[in-house]
Amino acid sequence: MFDIGFFEVCLIGIIALVVIGPEKLPRVARIIGLWLGRAQGMVKTVKYEIDEQLRMEELKQSMQKQKDSLENNIKESITTANETINKIISKLDDSEIQVRGEAFSSLFLNKNDISEFLIDALSSESKNVKGFSALVLANRGDSNAISAIELLTKDSSGMVRSCALGALGHLRSTLSTTIIRKCFQDKVLEVRKSAVQAFLKIGGDILPREVDELTKDADDELKFLITKVSKNM
């Protein structure tokens, strides 16, 4: 813009000489030169600003792409981590006792907040996953899981009920006293033992009539636990 060739300059000069006259031509030429200089300066400024805006837009797009890429990487990492936790939880139902033990230890020692996954596992179809997940939550000291663990005291599996009672006792859940007390009448001996052990840990009082019911078909271990709780009353 404003690029004028030699021929155009000569033509303008001749016209200016005829129209303006030789006396005023130098002054007019200076004014025209001044305005041309200012116009060129304005053009350069506008061009610079346009180029700068284009660079900023390119930089903005580049930064957005990097942000999107980073967010995708984070999401992928989280998804991978979640899948890993769920896979470890599923190993609580492995046929090998050593594998179940390693899975239990891995979940117990995990420093991240995995409570959500473990609480979800309490509704698993596998009795091992439900029972061991309750114990993992208890060993991690997760009192937020108490209400979900309490529901397992009504599970169809005696193993799960026993684990749930053990977890409530380990968490010292005094608010679960009534629920634990109901398990004194459970038909499975091991569940009744777990209920008495939980009562012992939370400092509950066993009523005389409950002692009579518990000792009817109790083995030596249960009788010892009942005596121990009675002494603490």
Side-chain angles (χ1 to χ4, degrees), residues 9-20:
V9 172
C10 292
L11 182 60
I12 292 172
I14 293 171
I15 295 173
L17 183 63
V18 174
V19 174
I20 300 173

Side-chain angles (χ1 to χ4, degrees), residues 117-126 129-130 133 148 152 155:
F117 302 99
L118 291 168
I119 292 174
D120 285 344
L122 298 180
S123 58
S124 170
E125 294 181 358
S126 165
V129 171
K130 286 190 286 188
S133 293
L152 295 184
D155 194 84

Side-chain angles (χ1 to χ4, degrees), residues 82-108:
N82 293 349
E83 291 174 350
T84 300
I85 294 298
N86 285 325
K87 186 174 182 179
I88 295 173
I89 290 175
S90 70
K91 293 299 180 180
L92 293 173
D93 194 35
D94 196 89
S95 58
E96 296 291 333
I97 188 171
Q98 182 178 350
V99 175
R100 296 199 299 270
E102 290 174 353
F104 189 100
S105 297
S106 177
L107 294 167
F108 168 59

Side-chain angles (χ1 to χ4, degrees), residues 7 12 45 50 73 77 143 186 228:
F7 176 76
I12 292 172
T45 301
I50 293 174
N73 289 337
S77 298
S143 58
D186 197 281
K228 196 171 182 180

Side-chain angles (χ1 to χ4, degrees), residues 144-175:
N144 292 325
I146 287 177
S147 59
I149 294 174
E150 286 177 338
L151 296 176
L152 295 184
T153 61
K154 299 179 181 179
D155 194 84
S156 60
S157 167
M159 175 268 190
V160 174
R161 297 197 300 274
S162 185
C163 287
L165 290 164
L168 293 173
H170 190 82
L171 289 168
R172 303 297 193 274
S173 179
T174 55
L175 296 177

